[in-house]
Amino acid sequence: MGELELRRLTVSYGERPVVAGLDLRVADGEIVALLGPSGAGKSTILKAVAGLLPASVGEIRINHQLVNQLPAERRDAVLLFQKPLLFPFLDVAGNIAFGLKMAGIGGRQAAARIAAIMAITGLDGLARRRVHQLSGGQQQRVALARGLVLAPSILLLDEPLSSLDAELRQQMRELIGRVQRETGTTMLFVTHDQSEAFAVSDRVALLLAGSLRQTGSAEELFYHPADREVARFFGGGNFIDGRIVGGTFAGASLRCPTARSDCATATAVIRPEELRLVESGGDNCLDGVVETVSFEGANSRLQIATAAGTFTLLAVRPEGRVGQPVVLHFPPERLHIFPCPEGGR
Amino acid sequence: MRRRLLLTAVLVGAILPFLPLLLWSFAERWFYPALFPEGWGLRAWSYLVDTAGRQIIDGLVASFTLALATTALSLLLGIPAGRALGLYDFAGKRLLSLLLLLPIIVPPLAVAMGLHRWFLQLGLAETFFGVVLIHLSVCLPYTIFVLQGVFRDYNPDFEAQARSLGAGPLAVFWRVTLPLTLPGIAVAALFSFLLSWSQYLSTLIIGGGRTLTLPILLFALIDSGDRPVAAAVSLLFVLPALLALLAGAQALGRGNIEGVR
Amino acid sequence: MDPATSAGTGRSCPVRRLLLLLGPALFLILLLFGGGLLLGLFQALGYPPLSAGSTSGLGHFQQVLGDADFPRSLGLTLYIAGTSTVVAALLSLVLALALVNWAARSRLIHFLLQIPLAVPHLVIAISLLLILSPSGLLSRLGSALGLVGSPAAFPLLVNDPFGVAILATYIWKEIPFITFMLLAVLKNIGSELAEVGATLKASRRQRFLHITLPIIAPSLGAASLIVFAYAFGAFEVPYLLGQTYPLTLPVWAYKSYSDIDLLSRPEGIAISLLITGTVLLAVLLAELLLHSSRRREGGR
């Protein structure tokens, strides 16, 4: 049972607010990914929730209880750091037992809980191993087990996968997902890696420059970004300026129906992989010239200059060559129209 | 508030021992139970430079040249050794580190006494070089200890990068290795200098009363009971240490400012 | 002793180059340190070509160990080295913990702490002589406050049976040394691991007992050992500030060595070798203690 709620949370480092006016709710048993570029204030939020940094304004509630004034050791949340930070003077079992020992839980009860958690995290047989003899992945798993064994209401994870290589990261990702299903622990997971956020979490909260920009399912954020910055963060920077009149967006000779109300300065966005090259012009097409082609393996990236600006297109197969005239098709059902900016009506 | 109290305690603790030395070095008359000198003067300080005290200046020079020579040799031998111990893994390294570091812990008394007779036979006793050697037996292990730590934090990839950019071995040392390790080397040099500077018994045994360094003169002055002069020489004796500290604090201050994000 | 050395650097180096780098320093240290101890041992054993007297074998050692003064001297030396080490270690622990978050930023604190580190023992011994002797500053202060009538009425703090001035000198000198060793560890790893402890529900007191102490224990032990060994084998301070009887072992050793009677010279060497042996024994004991404590931690 664990529920976390942040209301208008502001955390400052010295005088400067790092995170301002944050509202976020993590429901019982949910994994929420807090996604954002490095320096966005993600770790600061986790430290504030854990009680390692004071919140200057706002409320932190764990299971509806206001915890702002509680020191870290009395909050029912465990923070998993980016580095494993295992105690070098204890072995694996000693590290995992640490929190139980602090709570005065020992003997058979503790041993059973430790054994169970070691089985879940795949650490069987390593109990007596010294921590500097472990691999990076094992160390991070011990850190995870050390937190989970306390059965906290909330588990806070601060980029726990970033120090691992690609394959281990994948394994650890799956492990966290499995652990979450098996234990039902509520988790707030911080990462700068969008695929990690999408793969691990139930919901994603995007943090840019210290404030929360959009919260929702992975698909929502990816295909229906709230604004230009969100779209750019997910690599979709094809913007078309135009206007909405009578349920139709029109801009740069493109048109598409929309449910949004009239707006004089509307913007539509389309993801690079939704653009198509077609043989001949028609509705929702623009003439252009290929500026650059770069082969990136799984797909090829083309920059195409048109009268309405330069657009990026991702193609599955390498196509087009520099200088080639092409016709660019914008499927209207793939265009996403941003909400009308204030004063744009 | 707690901080201020702590700072005051550290300040008083660090400074207090210099107070009686300062007072006594300027005292002309100071009988019990006067709390402060009844007569002030520069007799003690002028003793250091006048003809009768010529030996103080000689002692200063002797101590200085000894410490300088010892430090130069310590660095010459210690930098390669510190590099080997700090940078590389090899069989028997733990044993070797222990062997090289043992002289730091084991008192130099027995070593000086043991070597004395041999140095007499070799004609090294009562010579400058003989005293340098006995100081080296104390200073070199310390230098290696400090430099080992310096090189543990040193990344030799910079050297490979410089070589791939066309620098020769000598250029690599002067332009890359030395600038990168200079702060650590300076600390090692300072340690070695101060250690040699404060040697008393080993100088006495090997120098046989011929090498009159400052600490040896200071002992004689205390036995003679001339408190003002002993105090003045004591202050002279700590001067290099304090100067080095001030210079170090200055350099450290610059480093700190550069180190701030 | 140093846990950092046990972790490898992951770099290797050709043996020839290693020899070139390490050879000269190794040769000189072996020659001077190893050679010095060995030659001393030969002389103390009365090995003929080096011996001045007629005693050979363990005679000089037997003579020293059989001397009625030996237990007293050993006891006094152990008392001085042990007491100054324990007091300095405890004060350093308090100081390091009080300073840990602050010393990193405060240049003034750093500078002040370095002063005792750089000042020779001899100078501090002289200063304490001027403060603590019967006609010293403290006695004069007592007189000004009406507490002390004459120098003779002032409690004996110099050349006294308890070695107060000697202890004060060592403690003053060694506190910064131990404090810096502790700060180095605490600054690197201490605060991060303490945060981990807090999120794992350890209270302030538990964090100190179960995280901070285990982390600094090896450094505290190593620093204490170095300090103990120094105080056990140093000559200047007890010579200046100690009683005339009993003497500490190093003072006794030098007195015998420099005696007009050249026959007592091997005896002096024998005493200094006993000092060396005791220190080596302490190092060995410390290593064993460290290993057994590691095994205990590991096997729990």
Side-chain angles (χ1 to χ4, degrees):
Chain A
M1 173 65 210
E3 204 179 304
L4 174 68
E5 195 173 0
L6 309 179
R7 280 192 204 151
R8 301 183 314 283
L9 178 67
T10 298
V11 188
S12 305
Y13 192 80
E15 292 289 292
R16 196 171 54 90
V18 179
V19 177
L22 192 90
D23 286 298
L24 182 68
R25 206 175 149 268
V26 184
D28 183 29
E30 194 182 27
I31 304 192
V32 170
L34 196 54
L35 177 65
S38 51
K42 305 179 303 264
S43 301
T44 308
I45 295 172
L46 286 198
K47 284 202 164 184
V49 174
L52 299 172
L53 281 179
S56 18
V57 184
E59 296 180 353
I60 301 169
R61 289 179 180 274
I62 295 175
N63 294 330
H64 307 292
Q65 186 205 355
L66 188 68
V67 297
N68 285 40
Q69 300 307 321
L70 288 183
E73 62 267 26
R74 292 181 51 208
R75 294 192 190 185
D76 194 8
V78 168
L79 173 59
L80 220 63
F81 292 73
Q82 192 163 354
K83 290 183 281 177
L85 292 178
L86 301 180
F87 300 119
F89 44 86
L90 297 175
D91 61 11
V92 169
N95 264 281
I96 298 175
F98 185 89
L100 294 175
K101 198 169 141 199
M102 296 303 110
I105 301 169
R108 202 169 292 171
Q109 193 196 353
R113 280 171 73 171
I114 292 167
I117 220 74
M118 286 183 71
I120 293 179
T121 47
L123 290 167
D124 284 321
L126 297 178
R128 296 274 87 96
R129 202 64 76 80
R130 300 204 60 81
V131 293
H132 63 81
Q133 297 169 328
L134 301 176
S135 68
Q138 287 170 332
Q139 290 195 9
Q140 202 54 274
R141 271 185 279 157
V142 174
L144 178 65
R146 185 174 64 176
L148 281 173
V149 78
L150 293 178
S153 286
I154 317 281
L155 190 64
L156 307 161
L157 302 102
D158 188 359
E159 308 232 16
L161 314 184
S162 64
S163 59
L164 307 176
D165 61 36
E167 196 179 333
L168 275 176
R169 201 177 311 164
Q170 184 57 35
Q171 286 176 13
M172 190 74 184
R173 230 186 243 181
E174 282 160 18
L175 176 67
I176 290 175
R178 202 176 71 234
V179 162
Q180 206 278 334
R181 283 191 302 278
E182 284 176 25
T183 62
T185 310
T186 308
M187 298 186 187
L188 183 57
F189 183 100
V190 151
T191 178
H192 67 271
D193 179 340
Q194 64 178 60
S195 56
E196 197 166 291
F198 291 169
V200 171
S201 67
D202 301 320
R203 276 192 307 136
V204 178
L206 181 68
L207 191 74
L208 294 176
S211 63
L212 214 50
R213 303 300 276 268
Q214 193 173 359
T215 309
S217 72
E219 291 80 7
E220 257 169 58
L221 268 71
F222 197 74
Y223 291 112
H224 302 285
D227 55 35
R228 280 175 183 253
E229 274 100 41
V230 176
R232 274 205 199 96
F233 181 85
F234 291 110
N238 290 325
F239 303 116
I240 304 122
D241 292 326
R243 50 170 46 197
I244 301 170
V245 180
T248 302
F249 171 85
S253 78
L254 307 174
R255 308 180 136 264
C256 79
T258 175
R260 296 202 194 277
S261 48
D262 288 5
C263 177
T265 58
T267 303
V269 63
I270 186 164
R271 295 204 51 83
E273 59 272 22
E274 310 279 23
L275 283 173
R276 296 273 171 274
L277 290 181
V278 289
E279 294 299 314
S280 57
D283 282 350
N284 284 319
C285 285
L286 287 176
D287 290 329
V289 173
V290 178
E291 277 190 331
T292 63
V293 180
S294 51
F295 177 59
E296 294 177 350
N299 44 41
S300 290
R301 184 177 298 267
L302 278 70
Q303 299 280 354
I304 295 163
T306 72
T310 302
F311 292 94
T312 306
L313 179 149
L314 277 181
V316 179
R317 286 267 156 200
E319 52 183 316
R321 50 174 208 288
V322 176
Q324 184 187 359
V326 290
V327 180
L328 208 50
H329 177 58
F330 295 73
E333 69 279 12
R334 300 297 188 212
L335 280 172
H336 167 67
I337 320 283
F338 291 133
C340 196
E342 269 176 55
R345 263 165 233 285
Chain B
M1 184 55 217
R2 212 180 112 222
R3 227 163 233 213
R4 180 157 290 177
L5 209 69
L6 196 63
L7 182 67
T8 314
V10 174
L11 186 79
V12 170
I15 302 291
L16 195 65
F18 299 99
L19 190 69
L21 296 175
L22 272 173
L23 288 178
W24 271 107
S25 76
F26 288 106
E28 297 278 282
R29 255 175 340 104
W30 193 4
F31 296 111
Y32 195 86
L35 199 50
F36 290 100
E38 297 138 297
W40 302 83
L42 290 172
R43 181 188 69 83
W45 289 101
S46 59
Y47 176 86
L48 303 189
V49 283
D50 72 10
T51 37
R54 178 69 215 172
Q55 56 169 348
I56 303 289
I57 302 296
D58 289 345
L60 192 69
V61 172
S63 278
F64 195 80
T65 44
L66 264 174
L68 216 57
T70 306
T71 303
L73 282 172
S74 284
L75 289 180
L76 194 69
L77 298 168
I79 290 176
R83 184 185 170 99
L85 288 174
L87 273 187
Y88 306 114
D89 283 338
F90 51 89
K93 176 171 158 178
R94 233 184 105 71
L95 190 73
L96 202 63
S97 310
L98 193 68
L99 189 72
L100 288 178
L101 298 182
L102 219 47
I104 294 179
I105 301 183
V106 174
L109 198 62
V111 175
M113 288 182 185
L115 287 175
H116 183 202
R117 206 188 158 80
W118 189 43
F119 275 22
L120 275 172
Q121 285 168 352
L122 293 174
L124 279 172
E126 302 186 15
T127 68
F128 179 78
F129 187 61
V131 179
V132 167
L133 278 179
I134 198 70
H135 282 198
L136 258 185
S137 78
V138 179
C139 298
L140 179 58
Y142 233 100
T143 311
I144 295 176
F145 177 71
V146 175
L147 288 170
Q148 175 186 345
V150 171
F151 278 102
R152 204 180 292 140
D153 299 333
Y154 170 74
N155 185 353
D157 292 346
F158 282 108
E159 294 175 6
Q161 176 69 77
R163 271 207 301 281
S164 92
L165 292 172
L170 219 62
V172 167
F173 180 77
W174 283 111
R175 305 263 175 134
V176 180
T177 315
L178 201 61
L180 280 173
T181 51
L182 200 59
I185 290 178
V187 171
L190 182 62
F191 270 41
S192 171
F193 187 95
L194 291 179
L195 215 54
S196 165
W197 182 259
S198 55
Q199 285 299 307
Y200 170 73
L201 195 58
S202 63
T203 315
L204 188 64
I205 290 175
I206 299 296
R210 285 282 184 84
T211 314
L212 293 176
T213 57
L214 270 188
I216 289 183
L217 292 171
L218 197 47
F219 252 91
L221 280 172
I222 298 161
D223 284 342
S224 80
D226 190 338
R227 286 183 168 189
V229 174
V233 175
S234 295
L235 288 172
L236 184 69
F237 191 39
V238 295
L239 202 60
L242 291 184
L243 285 180
L245 271 192
L246 279 172
Q250 204 72 23
L252 202 73
R254 269 207 306 279
N256 276 355
I257 289 160
E258 280 166 11
V260 167
R261 287 164 293 253
Chain C
M1 228 175 325
D2 180 5
T5 46
S6 55
T9 64
R11 287 186 212 96
S12 63
C13 181
V15 177
R16 265 190 58 187
R17 202 170 128 75
L18 269 182
L19 275 179
L20 210 66
L21 289 172
L22 275 170
L26 194 60
F27 172 75
L28 198 72
I29 288 177
L30 275 180
L31 188 75
L32 293 175
F33 183 73
L37 286 183
L38 211 62
L39 288 171
L41 191 63
F42 282 160
Q43 292 174 64
L45 291 175
Y47 181 63
L50 291 165
S51 93
S54 52
T55 322
S56 68
L58 290 171
H60 294 297
F61 284 102
Q62 278 162 356
Q63 212 169 328
V64 171
L65 292 170
D67 196 316
D69 290 346
F70 182 76
R72 286 165 175 275
S73 277
L74 179 66
L76 178 68
T77 317
L78 282 174
Y79 156 75
I80 288 173
T83 311
S84 60
T85 303
V86 168
V87 174
L90 286 178
L91 290 177
S92 302
L93 186 60
V94 174
L95 194 61
L97 289 172
L99 289 179
V100 63
N101 291 318
W102 186 22
R105 282 173 281 131
S106 169
R107 276 166 62 193
L108 182 63
I109 285 278
H110 256 261
F111 179 74
L112 288 177
L113 277 179
Q114 278 172 335
I115 292 178
L117 213 53
V119 171
H121 279 88
L122 184 53
V123 171
I124 297 316
I126 293 171
S127 164
L128 282 171
L129 192 68
L130 297 178
I131 295 176
L132 298 178
S133 71
S135 63
L137 275 184
L138 202 61
S139 169
R140 290 165 193 252
L141 191 66
S143 165
L145 294 174
L147 298 170
V148 180
S150 71
F154 188 70
L156 201 57
L157 299 178
V158 171
N159 312 115
D160 61 316
F162 293 104
V164 173
I166 305 175
L167 294 179
T169 306
Y170 286 142
I171 291 167
W172 190 81
K173 266 291 285 178
E174 314 305 2
I175 283 179
F177 173 73
I178 305 177
T179 304
F180 273 124
M181 295 262 287
L182 297 183
L183 279 178
V185 185
L186 285 174
K187 266 192 291 197
N188 275 343
I189 190 162
S191 60
E192 272 183 329
L193 286 185
E195 284 194 337
V196 173
T199 129
L200 293 171
K201 315 297 153 240
S203 66
R204 225 173 210 296
R205 201 179 129 264
Q206 286 175 320
R207 294 202 289 271
F208 174 74
L209 285 176
H210 296 284
I211 300 174
T212 311
L213 266 189
I215 286 174
I216 59 175
S219 294
L220 186 62
S224 299
L225 184 65
I226 292 174
V227 166
F228 176 86
Y230 181 86
F232 192 79
F235 167 82
E236 293 102 305
V237 180
Y239 179 76
L240 264 183
L241 302 176
Q243 316 158 260
T244 43
Y245 180 84
L247 297 170
T248 67
L249 287 178
V251 176
W252 186 15
Y254 181 71
K255 283 228 159 129
S256 301
Y257 188 79
S258 60
D259 201 294
I260 307 163
D261 178 10
L262 282 181
L263 292 179
S264 61
R265 189 166 270 200
E267 211 177 290
I269 301 181
I271 301 169
S272 73
L273 283 170
L274 287 172
I275 296 170
T276 305
T278 312
V279 168
L280 287 176
L281 202 68
V283 174
L284 199 72
L285 270 176
E287 278 277 328
L288 285 177
L289 207 70
L290 187 71
H291 274 272
S292 76
S293 78
R294 274 196 184 152
R295 217 168 301 132
R296 209 175 49 237
E297 282 291 346
R300 201 160 25 113

